[in-house]
Amino acid sequence: MEDVILRTEGLTKAFRGFVAVREVSLAVRRGTIHAMIGPNGAGKTTCFNLLTKFLEPTGGRILYNGRDITRSSPADIARQGMVRSFQISAVFGHMTALENVRIALQRKRGDCFDFWRSERVLKRYDGQARELLDAVGILEFESVPAVELSYGRKRALELATTLALEPEMMLLDEPMAGMGHEDVGRIAELVKRMAKGRTVLMVEHNLSVVADLSDRITVLARGEILAEGDYEAVSRNPRVIEAYMGSGHA
């Protein structure tokens, strides 16, 4: 049997009568990179918000490692090992890159962020923080405030803080959004490295990135699953081609 780490059964979300996600049944296999794609308004980000409980579903179930997490809080889900990034980079702008990663590492102490503790106590995390910054290729910027980093390096920093939480599964919301060609290639390689030994579910508009990275793809349209399979299969699916016509992503 397939080793499924994340499964949804009939996942649905309605907003005052408008159904944004309808009966989505998804199965993400452990150790894979699974992409969720679709034209604008397809329900991808809503689906992400449901999976990580930033939104409550109207119907259906979410199972993570076989456990029903449909009513769990975002913090509970993160503690279980499923951690997400956001489409807009979420780092502390006026803290250095090192300090940002150090804060994430403090989670190991029981979710207590000791902003008021002495520098000596906080420095215990510096070695691990530098290893993570090196892993994402921005160690040389450890003393630079996050607000001064380029967009691509901010995204790399966010990935470092996500790794600091030691996730079993990572949910990446458009990790390449707004990047130039050079940054896209660098972050794509970084995602590939980060995926070793983990499971990744990502929303991404850049189809060349999806083709290169993904083991399996789920295509959403109007809140429903339109097609699933590897890139070759979904890219030739007539319904997928029709859904992308005129959307600017074909």
Side-chain angles (χ1 to χ4, degrees):
M1 293 182 64
E2 292 180 337
D3 186 6
V4 174
I5 186 171
L6 179 68
R7 183 187 301 277
T8 68
E9 298 173 350
L11 191 62
T12 300
K13 180 62 179 179
F15 298 95
R16 296 183 179 181
F18 170 71
V19 181
V21 172
R22 185 190 301 272
E23 296 287 334
V24 168
S25 294
L26 180 72
V28 179
R29 295 196 298 267
R30 191 182 308 276
T32 63
I33 299 178
H34 192 126
M36 191 179 296
I37 69 171
N40 290 332
K44 304 181 297 296
T45 296
T46 300
C47 206
F48 249 47
N49 287 333
L50 291 169
L51 293 173
T52 50
K53 298 313 303 298
F54 286 86
L55 285 174
E56 288 293 330
T58 306
R61 293 202 307 161
I62 306 167
L63 299 131
Y64 178 64
N65 277 325
R67 298 187 296 270
D68 191 330
I69 62 169
T70 312
R71 303 302 168 198
S72 300
S73 70
D76 286 340
I77 290 171
R79 277 191 287 269
Q80 290 181 48
M82 187 166 73
V83 179
R84 74 169 288 178
S85 72
F86 292 85
Q87 186 173 346
I88 300 172
S89 185
V91 293
F92 295 103
H94 295 290
M95 290 185 174
T96 67
L98 183 71
E99 289 167 340
N100 268 278
V101 179
R102 195 165 65 182
I103 287 172
L105 286 167
Q106 284 178 261
R107 177 185 180 275
K108 297 176 185 177
R109 303 185 67 247
D111 300 319
C112 179
F113 296 137
D114 297 341
F115 294 103
W116 60 88
R117 297 294 292 274
S118 71
E119 186 70 12
R120 180 184 60 80
V121 173
L122 296 178
K123 279 185 178 295
R124 74 177 65 175
Y125 301 104
D126 284 0
Q128 291 171 279
R130 289 192 175 101
E131 287 178 10
L132 289 166
L133 290 173
D134 190 36
V136 300
I138 57 169
L139 179 59
E140 63 187 290
F141 302 98
E142 67 170 85
S143 300
V144 177
V147 72
E148 296 178 14
L149 295 173
S150 69
Y151 184 75
R153 290 184 181 116
K154 280 182 185 173
R155 298 310 302 241
L157 175 58
E158 186 182 46
L159 292 174
T161 61
T162 303
L163 285 173
L165 300 177
E166 298 185 347
E168 180 182 26
M169 180 172 184
M170 300 177 63
L171 282 77
L172 307 180
D173 192 0
E174 298 194 32
M176 320 300 173
M179 290 187 182
H181 180 74
E182 182 178 332
D183 281 336
V184 165
R186 182 164 60 244
I187 298 299
E189 285 301 314
L190 176 55
V191 169
K192 192 179 293 187
R193 293 202 308 272
M194 289 167 48
K196 292 179 180 177
R198 297 183 178 88
T199 305
V200 174
L201 175 63
M202 68 176 185
V203 166
E204 181 52 55
H205 279 303
N206 189 320
L207 295 190
S208 63
V209 169
V210 169
D212 182 54
L213 288 180
S214 303
D215 300 298
R216 189 168 182 84
I217 299 167
T218 297
V219 184
L220 293 181
R222 299 182 179 90
E224 299 180 83
I225 293 180
L226 189 66
E228 279 193 325
D230 60 20
Y231 181 77
E232 183 177 359
V234 300
S235 65
R236 294 180 178 180
N237 187 304
R239 297 179 68 202
V240 174
I241 295 169
E242 182 182 358
Y244 270 97
M245 285 292 290
S247 68
H249 302 299

